[in-house]
Amino acid sequence: MIRADAEALDRDDPLRRSRELFELPKGVIYLDGNSLGPIPRSVYPTMEDLLLRQWGQDLITSWNKAGWIEAPQRVGGKIARLIGARATEVVVADSTSVNLYKLAAGALSLRPGRRKIVTEAGNFHTDVYVLEGLARLAGATLEVLPRAEVLGAIGDDTALVMLTHVHYATAEVWDMAAVTAAAHDRGALMLWDLSHTAGAVGCDLNGARADLAVGCGYKHLNGGPGAPAFLYVAERHQGAIATPLSGWMGHAAPFAFEPRYSPAPDIRAQLCGTPPILGIAALECGVDTHLSVTPQAVAAKGRSLCDLFIRLVEDRCAGYGLTLVGPRDVARRGLHVSFAHADGYALVQALIARGVIGDFRDPDICRFGFTPLYLGHAEVWDAVEILREVLASRAFERPEFRTRAAVT
Ligand SMILES: Cc1ncc(COP(=O)(O)O)c(C=O)c1O
């Protein structure tokens, strides 16, 4: 393959014009939209209106007038379309970590008498930490097992199976329908972390009969740094699931100022405190951007970009100590690709200095995200050429690339 072949793929790309929807710096090949999605251009006018008119002029009346109070459900309803859920099953709230805690605790409330939670070793660490904290407080047992042992560990005592649909490091995808069915067969509930799924490969929560799910707003949904997260509760569990964070926004009548808590009968019961309106507004711009294209086109192009990257790296960078992490078959992966390298941290820093932005995950993983809305095949080609140069010249050995920053 030569660069012209990659350019030809871009000419036929149905998503080639969606790049205009984003602000991207010149001279940068951004391969980290799986960690922090770039800013959609629609955020600028949206924020100007929100800051100058809604907040600036209309002040507190905007809670009613501008629909601020309904924003968590409105934007949740839009995210629902990207993950195969009903609009009434998704709400925007808190962070992924906090939502995971709320829903895992809720799952224990739905399965009284069962005290075991099962998850995967090597799952994103916050997921395991949160489950550990919950298990300690709730008197539950947490089993953290290698991927191959997860399904076998689900038993009559299991209340909840919690897994990340697209693995944060390997990008390996679980078969959502099959795993959910396996959990249900043994009477357990299934909670999915969709942080690397929403806006990337998509999924069908309703089709899989998934019980619960959480996910990030700042990755493929382009909601901005620290964007609020989303959560999903299947309609059949709403009304019955308890929440450990029984705040006033989850009350059936928040402005009745009743002396005791009485949960909303629907997805609003998962809200806790006042919604972060600035964050939700930016997230809505990101979600609207995704709704302007077809999810199938996004997933197909993303897989084509990942496939090209894997093939080019293995061909053009052979012999430089890179090992693919995760499946080679793009049908079994999400939209990031990781290669292990003994000098992974320094290698990623050297690439960033050359304008190719990926990230590093301990202990040795160089991770690159392929976000179809603004990346083309020619950029994948260029990124691999720069990677090859950095490896061949051993530019990554320079001391300035070895000092670890707080965020990797
Ligand atoms: C799978 C997964 N879950 C959760 C998180 C982070 O959650 P939070 O937004 O609460 O920091 C990440 C962040 O990268 C992630 O990859």
Side-chain angles (χ1 to χ4, degrees):
M1 183 176 204
I2 56 171
R3 193 178 192 277
D5 299 324
E7 289 166 12
L9 289 172
D10 291 339
R11 273 196 298 279
D12 296 337
D13 171 14
L15 296 175
R16 68 187 176 284
R17 274 199 290 274
S18 57
R19 186 184 175 97
E20 296 307 312
L21 301 172
F22 297 91
E23 187 72 43
L24 285 158
K26 287 210 168 38
V28 163
I29 302 178
Y30 192 60
L31 305 184
D32 218 358
N34 54 304
S35 208
L36 173 65
I39 187 167
R41 291 210 161 110
S42 58
V43 171
Y44 301 142
T46 299
M47 279 297 166
E48 190 177 9
D49 181 60
L50 176 51
L51 297 176
L52 300 184
R53 183 179 63 84
Q54 297 177 33
W55 184 11
Q57 298 300 310
D58 294 345
L59 293 159
I60 201 165
T61 66
S62 285
W63 281 106
N64 294 314
K65 207 163 143 182
W68 288 357
I69 197 71
E70 291 101 36
Q73 295 107 280
R74 184 180 67 248
V75 182
K78 292 182 179 187
I79 294 173
R81 288 154 59 188
L82 299 170
I83 54 177
R86 295 186 189 94
T88 49
E89 292 176 316
V90 182
V91 77
V92 168
D94 304 309
S95 65
T96 305
S97 305
V98 172
N99 288 336
L100 188 68
Y101 186 86
K102 294 189 297 194
L103 295 192
L108 293 178
S109 79
L110 291 171
R111 289 289 178 274
R114 292 176 175 235
R115 296 323 278 170
K116 190 167 93 175
I117 302 173
V118 177
T119 194
E120 181 185 359
N123 199 348
F124 190 75
H125 43 336
T126 204
D127 297 43
V128 179
Y129 299 168
V130 164
L131 296 177
E132 270 179 341
L134 171 66
R136 211 176 303 123
L137 278 177
T141 321
L142 175 66
E143 286 193 359
V144 187
L145 299 163
R147 200 172 181 94
E149 292 171 29
V150 166
L151 295 188
I154 310 169
D156 294 345
D157 54 347
T158 308
L160 177 69
V161 182
M162 188 275 132
L163 294 169
T164 297
H165 180 232
V166 176
H167 194 278
Y168 83 97
T170 67
E172 188 162 1
V173 177
W174 282 100
D175 180 337
M176 181 176 278
V179 174
T180 303
H184 288 175
D185 280 350
R186 296 167 190 110
L189 295 170
M190 189 68 225
L191 195 170
W192 291 103
D193 183 337
L194 303 180
S195 290
H196 294 274
T197 302
V201 291
C203 65
D204 185 4
L205 287 171
N206 284 167
R209 285 195 57 74
D211 303 288
L212 307 162
V214 296
C216 287
Y218 48 78
K219 297 178 186 292
H220 290 280
L221 293 181
N222 303 90
F230 65 88
L231 65 83
Y232 154 92
V233 178
E235 220 156 71
R236 62 187 178 279
H237 296 307
Q238 293 176 18
I241 188 168
T243 176
L245 295 179
S246 44
W248 70 308
M249 285 291 154
H251 193 281
F255 285 88
F257 290 86
E258 284 173 5
R260 301 306 292 260
Y261 183 73
S262 166
D266 48 35
I267 193 71
R268 285 172 304 147
Q270 296 301 330
L271 298 175
C272 181
T274 305
I277 296 304
L278 302 185
I280 297 180
L283 175 61
E284 187 165 18
C285 293
V287 173
D288 284 341
T289 305
H290 283 271
L291 290 174
S292 71
V293 296
T294 63
Q296 292 80 0
V298 172
K301 180 178 168 192
R303 287 179 171 138
S304 169
L305 294 170
C306 289
D307 182 50
L308 179 63
F309 184 72
I310 294 171
R311 284 191 292 120
L312 287 178
V313 171
E314 293 196 327
D315 178 27
R316 302 185 68 80
C317 304
Y320 290 125
L322 288 171
T323 311
L324 178 67
V325 179
R328 182 165 282 97
D329 175 4
V330 286
R332 290 179 47 222
R333 55 164 44 258
L335 300 191
H336 53 273
V337 176
S338 296
F339 278 93
H341 187 275
D343 271 310
Y345 181 78
L347 181 57
V348 168
Q349 300 317 302
L351 285 171
I352 292 172
R354 301 286 308 272
V356 177
I357 303 184
D359 61 23
F360 172 76
R361 290 292 173 260
D362 238 19
D364 59 0
I365 287 181
C366 309
R367 190 175 66 158
F368 306 96
F370 295 91
T371 33
L373 291 185
Y374 49 85
L375 281 176
H377 297 80
E379 279 173 294
V380 172
W381 174 276
D382 294 343
V384 175
E385 282 308 285
I386 294 170
L387 174 61
R388 194 176 58 80
E389 281 163 32
V390 167
L391 288 164
S393 64
R394 303 194 73 82
F396 61 88
E397 287 179 341
R398 296 223 302 266
E400 70 261 35
F401 298 136
R402 298 193 173 273
T403 316
R404 288 268 185 125
V407 176
T408 62

